[in-house]
Amino acid sequence: MNAINESFLPSGETTVIRLITAGSVDDGKSTLIGRLLYDSKSVYADQLDAIARAKYKRVAGDGIDFALLTDGLEAEREQGITIDVAYRYFATPRRKFIVADAPGHEQYTRNMVTGASTADVAVILIDATRAADGTLLPQTKRHSAIARLLGIRHIIVAINKMDLLAWDRAVFERIRDAYADLARRIGIADFQVLPLSALNGDNVVAPSAHTPWYDGAPLLDLLEALDPSVDGADAPLRFPVQWVVRHGGNSAHDFRGYAGRIASGTLRPGDDVLVQPSGTAARVVQVRAHDRILSRAQAGDSVIVVLDRDVDVSRGDVLSHATAPARVGKDLEAEVCWLDTQPLNPARRYWLKHGTRLTTAKIRVVTRRDIHELREIDSEVDTLAMNDIGKVLIATRDPLSTDRYDDVAATGAFILIDESTHQTAAAGMLR
């Protein structure tokens, strides 16, 4: 999988927006990203020359096959599909963008989950030619449900290939209404819809003359207007301990500290905290970052915390404010997206990775979501197959310090790992 270019991570000057394109196969996701890169002047001349001479070019004549700007694997270009998640980068004077191009094929849904896990906004593409009667494809529904499951706050629905339907307003409104019904049924409260042609660039960067009946902004303007910030400092303190640090030397400078990254909330010297799940109380006497002593640290900061006494703290423990602790227990309720090719086996144990803690767990399926009918089905068979979404009950070997995913994502998310193959079996969100 492509690594994220760290030079594009937040620098304090320009806001970074992470977006993912989603939807069914051949809806035009890769073409849309290629068009955004091209129209924002983020493509070098040698790249354009290379794709113009590409062996698997799918555009006739001298036209540019924008999808080739993101489909980098040989198999992707040969088959004309996206397989892996491809990360691309572009910038405008107002924003920097990290774009994840997710595959639309059902068998690669797990790759879409990976790309969506850190996204601020999901752009759901719909091929107007295949949904002209208002019937949405299963992957459109599945990707929308996953976006909701992962708590992506901004959803933009791009109804693509409208040029092939002569920019028929009635078709646009029919698909828009169908998606509004889908959003209501799966719990998406806020979304925006626009008509566009990714190939021709209509309503991508500039307004289109073909849609005088559309009074909204083009896609790039919608993206630039988003506020991706989530004020994690207002959430309760959650500090998962990554490791215990001992500073040697003479007794005047010796200390025992706990290193990690603050997942949510703020931390100051003098704060009363609980070490969870044990519940041991202590007081913060020092917060350090490298060779500096801080008066305050907040969500996203990597620090070392020194307490007023030696207590039993180890990797996987969580420091919380004494007045707002995490919930502690071995019995969990969650929604999961099953990612493994091997179906869930309720008789087996799975590793459960939660923050910095690893334990074992048994899983029981309560309901499975029918993507076609958009309803919960009481599971007669206690299993989930690849790409299924379901509600489960989890019994863990060790107590965990958790929150609802909607409240604190870092302590509300987990993954399940197959003990035998070490494959990631599922991604889950606690409810």
Side-chain angles (χ1 to χ4, degrees):
M1 185 175 296
N2 296 284
I4 292 180
N5 182 350
E6 294 187 1
S7 68
F8 249 74
L9 296 179
S11 62
E13 298 177 358
T14 305
T15 302
V16 175
I17 292 180
R18 295 169 172 83
L19 71 94
I20 184 169
T21 56
S24 192
V25 63
D26 289 334
D27 280 351
K29 298 179 292 298
S30 298
T31 299
L32 176 62
I33 295 177
R35 170 60 75 173
L36 277 171
L37 295 172
Y38 180 77
D39 285 354
S40 63
K41 307 296 189 293
S42 300
V43 182
Y44 294 110
D46 59 339
Q47 290 177 292
L48 290 175
D49 182 61
I51 64 174
R53 294 181 284 103
K55 177 169 59 173
Y56 300 114
K57 181 179 174 182
R58 288 159 283 170
V59 176
D62 296 329
I64 300 173
D65 188 350
F66 293 108
L68 296 182
L69 290 171
T70 59
D71 289 340
L73 299 178
E74 182 75 6
E76 293 178 319
R77 296 190 173 198
E78 181 179 1
Q79 299 177 51
I81 63 173
T82 300
I83 297 174
D84 198 4
V85 177
Y87 291 97
R88 295 295 181 265
Y89 315 91
F90 72 96
T92 70
R94 296 177 59 188
R95 292 282 194 266
K96 288 182 177 180
F97 294 92
I98 299 175
V99 188
D101 180 24
H105 278 263
E106 182 176 350
Q107 73 184 94
Y108 303 123
T109 297
R110 54 188 171 184
N111 293 357
M112 181 270 175
V113 174
T114 301
S117 62
T118 58
D120 301 308
V121 55
V123 179
I124 308 288
L125 273 85
I126 298 176
D127 182 345
T129 65
R130 293 192 290 170
D133 62 352
T135 302
L136 302 179
L137 296 176
Q139 274 299 79
T140 302
K141 299 176 182 179
R142 181 176 284 107
H143 282 189
S144 297
I146 291 172
R148 169 65 185 90
L149 192 66
L150 292 172
I152 298 177
R153 297 185 304 128
H154 303 288
I155 305 291
I156 296 175
V157 181
I159 301 178
N160 191 26
K161 304 185 184 181
M162 286 294 297
D163 55 309
L164 300 181
L165 296 174
W167 300 97
D168 190 328
R169 180 177 182 176
V171 171
F172 170 77
E173 292 177 346
R174 194 177 302 127
I175 299 173
R176 179 198 63 194
D177 293 345
Y179 194 88
D181 180 63
L182 168 67
R184 177 185 58 80
R185 296 173 70 178
I186 64 177
I188 294 176
D190 184 34
F191 64 95
Q192 301 178 79
V193 187
L194 78 158
L196 57 76
S197 169
L199 183 62
N200 298 325
D202 294 272
N203 283 333
V204 177
V205 171
S208 172
H210 296 109
T211 55
W213 41 266
Y214 170 68
D215 57 4
L219 177 61
L220 185 58
D221 286 358
L222 294 178
L223 293 173
E224 287 187 323
L226 294 177
D227 179 11
S229 62
V230 177
D231 193 0
D234 289 340
L237 171 69
R238 300 293 182 260
F239 179 73
V241 176
Q242 294 186 11
W243 75 86
V244 179
V245 179
R246 288 302 302 262
H247 186 285
N250 61 60
S251 58
H253 299 287
D254 189 28
F255 73 87
R256 181 181 183 184
Y258 309 102
R261 184 175 184 268
I262 300 177
S264 64
T266 59
L267 189 62
R268 297 178 176 86
D271 285 354
D272 292 320
V273 297
L274 292 178
V275 180
Q276 295 189 282
S278 69
T280 304
R283 177 166 292 177
V284 177
V285 296
Q286 200 174 81
V287 180
R288 305 169 68 100
H290 301 293
D291 57 349
R292 295 179 294 120
I293 297 177
L294 306 179
S295 60
R296 179 182 181 273
Q298 64 181 19
D301 292 342
S302 296
V303 297
I304 296 174
V305 178
V306 182
L307 302 179
D308 65 342
R309 69 197 74 173
D310 285 339
V311 294
D312 184 8
V313 182
S314 58
R315 176 179 171 84
D317 288 341
V318 175
L319 300 187
S320 306
H321 279 143
T323 55
R327 57 189 184 186
V328 174
K330 297 182 180 181
D331 297 317
L332 310 173
E333 296 182 13
E335 288 184 88
V336 300
C337 180
W338 197 257
L339 308 177
D340 201 349
T341 54
Q342 297 298 316
L344 184 153
N345 184 345
R348 292 185 53 192
R349 294 184 312 174
Y350 291 86
W351 283 332
L352 187 149
K353 182 75 164 59
H354 175 257
T356 54
R357 183 177 290 275
L358 184 67
T359 186
T360 57
K362 297 290 289 290
I363 317 297
R364 182 170 72 84
V365 179
V366 179
T367 62
R368 180 178 60 83
R369 178 172 294 170
D370 186 324
I371 288 296
H372 298 277
E373 299 296 330
L374 296 176
R375 60 188 179 91
E376 301 289 340
I377 301 174
D378 291 338
S379 184
E380 298 178 358
V381 180
D382 197 9
T383 188
L384 294 172
M386 187 174 72
N387 300 327
D388 278 349
I389 298 172
K391 292 182 179 178
V392 299
L393 297 177
I394 302 173
T396 62
R397 180 191 62 196
D398 305 304
L400 299 177
S401 307
T402 66
D403 294 278
R404 294 177 64 254
Y405 181 81
D406 292 340
D407 296 334
V408 183
T411 47
F414 63 91
I415 60 172
L416 297 174
I417 303 168
D418 188 295
E419 281 190 313
S420 301
T421 65
H422 296 186
Q423 293 288 325
T424 300
M429 280 59 66
L430 298 171
R431 302 305 184 196

